[in-house]
Amino acid sequence: MTSPPQRHMIRLDRRPQLFSMRVAALIFQSGHLLVQRGAGDDYWALPGGRAEIGESSEQTIVREIGEELDRTCSVERLLWSAENFFAYDGYSAHELGFYYLVSLGHPLPFHENHIVHRVMDGIEVEFRWLPSRTSGLIRNDLRPRFIAERIEALPLRHEHLIVREGRSDATENPKETL
């Protein structure tokens, strides 16, 4: 009897530097975007998680949605890939991110003002719907910020971005690819 292969997240911790590969989903319902945060955090992010060695970014988002939301999903298309540079918990972080437009096989409950789902994923993670408008997402501190800035005009084709958040020399260089 063979044991299942070990799973390894793509994360290199070389304090004070950190590199990771994260895949996230944009899921819309009733003019709102699904977001998540660790209970007690003061910012929101898109549902998703770290990729594992040996899986594609598309496989990662399908796995993460299944684990965190207990739902099947359909990946519609890749919106953005981004090289994100930011400060986090004492780290100078470098994150390779993939952001997919995703539809759930069975919708989550919807409420405009309350947490609609919770899951334990090492820590308690809570999910809620925020209006999919730039001003509201910025006010609720959605990270990375470029998502809020682009939410009202999703790209028709994949864009690659280089994003330096929280620095005065911030640059974003969208590159359209086929």
Side-chain angles (χ1 to χ4, degrees), residues 67-120:
E67 290 173 358
E68 294 181 355
L69 300 178
D70 194 27
R71 300 286 193 276
T72 60
C73 68
S74 298
V75 174
E76 294 182 26
R77 70 180 192 271
L78 177 62
L79 298 171
W80 302 288
S81 55
E83 298 172 56
N84 297 321
F85 298 88
F86 56 95
Y88 173 75
D89 198 23
Y91 285 99
S92 176
H94 178 180
E95 177 183 85
L96 180 59
F98 296 88
Y99 302 88
Y100 285 94
L101 183 60
V102 170
S103 297
L104 297 179
H106 178 73
L108 276 177
F110 179 81
H111 194 284
E112 289 186 14
N113 302 311
H114 297 294
I115 301 301
V116 296
H117 182 71
R118 294 180 196 274
V119 66
M120 288 301 295

Side-chain angles (χ1 to χ4, degrees), residues 119-132:
V119 66
M120 288 301 295
D121 189 19
I123 60 166
E124 183 180 26
V125 180
E126 53 190 26
F127 296 80
R128 72 168 292 193
W129 297 99
L130 290 176
S132 55

Side-chain angles (χ1 to χ4, degrees), residues 1-163:
M1 181 173 174
T2 61
S3 58
Q6 277 193 306
R7 295 169 55 183
H8 298 284
M9 290 186 292
I10 300 175
R11 182 179 195 269
L12 257 126
D13 185 339
R14 301 290 184 263
R15 194 171 281 278
Q17 296 175 315
L18 176 67
F19 174 81
S20 64
M21 181 176 161
R22 186 169 193 279
V23 184
L26 283 86
I27 301 169
F28 294 94
Q29 184 173 322
S30 302
H32 288 67
L33 178 68
L34 186 65
V35 296
Q36 71 174 44
R37 71 176 177 191
D41 283 347
D42 58 356
Y43 67 92
W44 295 92
L46 295 174
R50 289 192 192 95
E52 295 180 359
I53 295 173
E55 72 182 358
S56 70
S57 59
E58 193 168 317
Q59 289 170 320
T60 298
I61 199 57
V62 170
R63 174 183 54 77
E64 286 287 339
I65 296 301
E67 290 173 358
E68 294 181 355
L69 300 178
D70 194 27
R71 300 286 193 276
T72 60
C73 68
S74 298
V75 174
E76 294 182 26
R77 70 180 192 271
L78 177 62
L79 298 171
W80 302 288
S81 55
E83 298 172 56
N84 297 321
F85 298 88
F86 56 95
Y88 173 75
D89 198 23
Y91 285 99
S92 176
H94 178 180
E95 177 183 85
L96 180 59
F98 296 88
Y99 302 88
Y100 285 94
L101 183 60
V102 170
S103 297
L104 297 179
H106 178 73
L108 276 177
F110 179 81
H111 194 284
E112 289 186 14
N113 302 311
H114 297 294
I115 301 301
V116 296
H117 182 71
R118 294 180 196 274
V119 66
M120 288 301 295
D121 189 19
I123 60 166
E124 183 180 26
V125 180
E126 53 190 26
F127 296 80
R128 72 168 292 193
W129 297 99
L130 290 176
S132 55
R133 306 290 299 172
T134 297
S135 60
L137 295 176
I138 288 173
R139 186 174 50 256
N140 282 283
D141 197 10
L142 178 68
R143 297 183 189 173
R145 185 180 171 119
F146 81 84
I147 295 163
E149 293 167 347
R150 288 173 164 76
I151 199 71
E152 294 179 42
L154 297 181
L156 299 176
R157 293 190 212 165
H158 167 252
E159 291 179 347
H160 179 75
L161 308 172
I162 297 173
V163 180

